[in-house]
Amino acid sequence: MLTRRTLLQSALAGAVLSRCSSGTTGTGSTASPGNPFMVDGSAPVDVAIGEEYGGFAAAAYRKKYASATVSPTVNAQLANALLPRFAAGNPPDVVLSTGDQALELGRLVKENQLADLRSLLNAPAWDNANAKVEDSLLPGMLDAGQYDGTQRTVNYVATVYGLWYSASLFQRNGWDVPRTWPELLALGTDMKAAGLGPFVYAGAHPYYVLEMVLTLAAKAGGHDVVKRIDNLDDGAWKDESVTRAITAVGELVKRGLIAPGSAGFDHIGSQKRFLASKAGLLPCGNWLENEMKALIPQNFGLTLIGVPALDGSAALGRGLHVAATAPYLVPEQAKNKAGGLEYLRATLSKDVAAQVTSESNQLTIVRGAADGLEIGTALRSARDLLTAAGDQVITWYFDSWYPAFAETAAQVTGQFLAGGLQLSEWTARIQSAADRTKQDKAVTKYHRD
């Protein structure tokens, strides 16, 4: 009978064979749960990162391999610094690609520059040798790093989307958090009567509203709704769940529940109005607290809720849109590929992930790493939503796979919310743009199962 340990050892053997076939191994004689990649404990590890938290695993690595030199280098201009190194066959051993100068991952994948990370996911977890690394991660968070079925990156930060509100404002007015879309519309009416613009958004960045439409659609019809959109399937934007979702959002306009001036606001303008309690609800991701920290009033009670379902028959009642961002990668030509994989294994430990959450105020994809931490209302509400969502996390990738098409879809959504388009025009224009993208042979196509 195969035991769990036998299965783990088989996974380790597979990892070793994979690395031997690529010509890059450590110097240990045999793999073990404590050293699955046969790391040379005296070899330096070259770590290139776009943000400081990418270096937090260095201490854990040095504690285990005391003779190793681990030197994380923070560089806001990653592409400028690293592309010449990739071209010369001398890339770092591990990279956290974030910031305005993040690497163009699709290009590097085409050039076979990124290692397959399946051996990392199959390896024993850094802090639990009886479980695989993959088992310690939140469900649905690895797809973002897969290219044609191969895991090329592990996207580390879990960004939670929803609607923000002020707990103190709700308490003062005796308002309940809406659980369904009809309850949200009724709440908006109460907010309007109290002199607030119920719903404020950044008209200059209408993707936030498109995000809400897609979340509503997926909650109503299930994961396949957004999978078909990602895969550019014929008629995907004409799906009944999508139509119901955009119709529901259109009710905000019909009932006069949009805060005046929203169509002209940028993200900072809409967020300032919300934090001044001139609007009751704001769609945004959980980076809001970090971005607006200096302007959040004391005792505001900044709190995130999931987008309420259209009704009680939702396919994904706990559905929550979560985007895995901040990709880590190990270059195929890394001098110390084993060390790069081991560094990532340490990064995916609970201790390191907890430090990232505590010091950067961001959630990670490591399961349970934020539990028990002393964090503020805003991040705590995002964490609790993520925990409750479980396997009902909603993800989509067309916005990163086909950014030009995503921009068109967002702009059309902005025009609809500003009253410039009928519902049928919204559907027709976005579906037409999706069809053009599908037919454009110059655009690399991707698929998700």
Side-chain angles (χ1 to χ4, degrees):
M1 182 178 72
L2 288 175
T3 64
R4 185 168 184 81
R5 181 163 296 279
T6 302
L7 291 171
L8 284 171
Q9 292 296 338
S10 296
L12 290 171
V16 174
L17 288 173
S18 173
R19 285 183 287 107
C20 286
S21 67
S22 66
T24 55
T25 67
T27 61
S29 57
T30 58
S32 67
N35 187 0
F37 309 116
M38 299 189 296
V39 167
D40 177 353
S42 63
V45 185
D46 186 354
V47 184
I49 53 180
E51 296 186 57
E52 185 179 3
Y53 68 79
F56 288 178
Y61 192 101
R62 286 192 293 261
K63 183 177 180 180
K64 185 171 184 177
Y65 304 101
S67 298
T69 300
V70 186
S71 305
T73 302
V74 183
N75 193 330
Q77 307 294 319
L78 275 181
N80 289 342
L82 299 187
L83 287 179
R85 294 186 59 183
F86 274 97
N90 181 37
D93 300 316
V94 61
V95 178
L96 170 63
S97 180
T98 58
D100 293 336
Q101 280 282 325
L103 297 169
E104 186 180 340
L105 298 179
R107 169 185 167 185
L108 293 175
V109 169
K110 282 184 180 179
E111 296 173 353
N112 296 316
Q113 293 278 14
L114 305 188
D116 183 352
L117 300 182
R118 175 42 58 184
S119 61
L120 166 69
L121 300 176
N122 286 340
W126 181 272
D127 41 15
N128 182 5
N130 292 318
K132 295 192 300 183
V133 169
E134 184 171 14
D135 295 336
S136 68
L137 308 181
L138 293 169
M141 293 292 96
L142 291 172
D143 290 354
Q146 293 179 4
Y147 292 79
D148 294 328
T150 301
Q151 195 77 43
R152 299 298 183 183
T153 70
V154 171
N155 292 21
Y156 190 66
V157 171
T159 300
V160 178
Y161 288 80
L163 295 174
W164 290 101
Y165 74 96
S166 164
S168 61
L169 178 67
F170 271 49
Q171 186 176 17
R172 288 197 304 271
N173 288 277
W175 294 330
D176 293 327
V177 173
R179 294 166 298 177
T180 64
W181 200 256
E183 288 182 6
L184 181 144
L185 295 175
L187 172 63
T189 300
D190 291 342
M191 288 179 169
K192 187 176 181 180
L196 276 70
F199 184 90
V200 66
Y201 70 97
H205 306 287
Y207 174 79
Y208 296 124
V209 179
L210 177 62
E211 183 278 329
M212 187 169 64
V213 172
L214 292 172
T215 301
L216 275 170
K219 291 187 77 153
H223 295 297
D224 284 346
V225 172
V226 284
K227 285 183 179 180
R228 293 184 66 235
I229 285 174
D230 279 346
N231 291 334
L232 301 175
D233 286 357
D234 294 342
W237 289 87
K238 298 178 181 179
D239 186 281
E240 179 186 1
S241 295
V242 178
T243 301
R244 289 181 64 202
I246 189 63
T247 301
V249 171
E251 283 294 311
L252 296 171
V253 180
K254 289 183 178 180
R255 301 188 186 203
L257 303 181
I258 304 294
S262 290
F265 289 145
D266 63 8
H267 62 296
I268 298 298
S270 63
Q271 290 163 190
K272 282 183 175 180
R273 190 167 185 84
F274 166 70
L275 294 173
S277 293
K278 294 181 179 179
L281 295 166
L282 171 77
C284 190
N286 72 288
W287 63 82
L288 176 67
E289 183 180 26
N290 284 348
E291 187 170 69
M292 303 299 287
K293 189 172 184 179
L295 297 179
I296 300 172
Q298 190 174 7
N299 300 321
F300 186 80
L302 183 63
T303 309
L304 185 67
I305 61 171
V307 174
L310 292 175
D311 53 42
S313 66
L316 302 174
R318 305 188 314 277
L320 182 74
H321 177 211
V322 182
T325 61
Y328 274 99
L329 57 96
V330 173
E332 181 64 32
Q333 299 182 69
K335 183 181 297 184
N336 184 9
K337 187 192 290 189
L341 292 169
E342 185 75 338
Y343 186 89
L344 277 192
R345 198 167 71 99
T347 299
L348 294 169
S349 68
K350 278 191 176 182
D351 285 347
V352 173
Q355 182 186 2
V356 171
T357 295
S358 295
E359 298 191 27
S360 72
N361 207 42
Q362 300 180 91
L363 299 173
T364 73
I365 66 169
V366 179
R367 191 193 302 266
D371 293 350
L373 298 180
E374 293 186 8
I375 52 181
T377 301
L379 194 63
R380 186 163 65 247
S381 62
R383 178 200 65 192
D384 293 347
L385 287 171
L386 185 57
T387 299
D391 60 358
Q392 293 192 10
V393 163
I394 297 166
T395 57
W396 58 77
Y397 308 108
F398 76 93
D399 52 343
S400 57
W401 289 349
Y402 314 114
F405 163 58
E407 176 64 20
T408 297
Q411 292 300 326
V412 171
T413 303
Q415 293 169 22
F416 172 79
L417 207 62
L421 292 177
Q422 298 297 314
L423 186 149
S424 59
E425 294 176 299
W426 179 89
T427 302
R429 290 193 185 188
I430 297 183
Q431 186 61 62
S432 177
D435 293 342
R436 289 195 300 272
T437 302
K438 182 176 183 177
Q439 295 160 9
D440 189 343
K441 294 181 179 179
V443 176
T444 301
K445 307 302 188 302
Y446 301 97
H447 180 85
R448 63 182 293 200
D449 295 325

